[in-house]
Amino acid sequence: METGIHELTAGYALDALEPEERRAYEAHLEGCEQCREELAAFWQTTEALAVAASGPAPSGELRERILSQARQEPQVVVPLASRRRRTVPVLAAAAGVAAVVALALGLWAAGLSSDLDDTRAALERERAAAAVLADPGARSVALQPGAATDGRLVVDPDGNAVLVVNDLGPAPAGQIYQLWIVPHGGEAASAGLSQGADGVDVIPVEGTVDEGEVVAVTVENAGGVDAPTTDPILGSLPV
């Protein structure tokens, strides 16, 4: 089967194919496990972006996997079996349009009563996030099992990353969500702060995420900290 048929997965997931293309893709889908897996991943992502659903409480296993890396344990602490990379052009339409436009409208409303420079900086961060989501070469990385919510980490070819989470909720009073880039066997580096939000939240990751690293989120005192002081509530699989 020609390679081009695989490129129709995103359009099929979004119901954007012509009738002839749809028939050809559905016939191909019956015998292609790769396309079935890609299609399931696309549908999982778009469903998470469109439907608010609370997630399970984080497990002790998740906590130990991520923080053991930040404490420089010499052991392998994150399973590597799920490191297969996927190209996700559908995120440009699903996440880039739905999530970023909604966030931009929220920032515009907030900017009416806030400092103009802060508002411009916030909008610039959202534009950067939209660029990552719209990059056809971006990869979608699943979250660790047992995360506090569902979502994906999206990483472009240059290592710029965006965390897309569903119904994380606002941070508790006096606290904030802090992102961390955690290299295997290395020290966690702060990767930005977020107040959190209900529904779909698109959180830019400050810095670049390299191969083998994970992105984790902890709840810290307002203003952030230099190193994690609490157990992570979620983390990605290795990039």
Side-chain angles (χ1 to χ4, degrees):
M1 179 61 65
E2 62 184 29
T3 303
I5 194 72
H6 299 282
E7 299 176 358
L8 298 179
T9 302
Y12 186 84
L14 295 175
D15 195 23
L17 298 182
E18 296 294 332
E20 182 176 351
E21 291 176 323
R22 171 176 287 274
R23 288 191 295 271
Y25 182 80
E26 288 177 343
H28 167 75
L29 193 64
E30 294 180 1
C32 182
E33 181 178 358
Q34 175 186 337
C35 283
R36 289 197 299 270
E37 291 179 357
E38 294 289 345
L39 184 62
F42 289 145
W43 277 339
Q44 179 183 5
T45 299
T46 53
E47 181 179 348
L49 292 171
V51 180
S54 59
S59 66
E61 181 183 1
L62 171 67
R63 174 191 64 204
E64 291 303 323
R65 283 176 180 169
I66 299 175
L67 281 191
S68 58
Q69 289 194 18
R71 294 168 183 152
Q72 302 186 45
E73 292 285 342
Q75 62 190 34
V76 177
V77 294
V78 182
L80 301 181
S82 300
R83 291 181 62 181
R84 187 171 68 84
R85 301 176 177 179
R86 291 192 173 103
T87 301
V88 285
V90 69
L91 287 171
V97 175
V100 176
V101 169
L103 285 173
L105 290 174
L107 285 170
W108 168 253
L112 294 177
S113 58
S114 65
D115 181 79
L116 181 59
D117 290 338
D118 288 344
T119 301
R120 286 174 175 168
L123 288 172
E124 183 58 34
R125 288 193 296 271
E126 298 310 322
R127 292 190 188 101
V132 173
L133 294 172
D135 192 324
R139 292 173 285 143
S140 175
V141 181
L143 299 185
Q144 291 270 2
T149 183
D150 56 346
R152 312 287 285 185
L153 178 70
V154 184
V155 187
D156 75 9
D158 296 324
N160 302 307
V162 174
L163 185 63
V164 182
V165 292
N166 186 48
D167 206 22
L168 181 62
Q175 295 182 304
I176 199 164
Y177 297 115
Q178 187 158 1
L179 281 67
W180 305 92
I181 297 175
V182 187
H184 171 59
E187 184 177 353
S190 179
L193 305 173
S194 174
Q195 295 289 347
D198 293 319
V200 176
D201 195 7
V202 178
I203 309 173
V205 178
E206 297 180 7
T208 56
V209 183
D210 297 324
E211 183 176 352
E213 294 181 332
V214 303
V215 173
V217 178
T218 61
V219 180
E220 307 291 352
N221 289 332
V225 293
D226 294 331
T229 65
T230 65
D231 297 333
I233 60 172
L234 62 88
S236 72
L237 291 173
V239 171

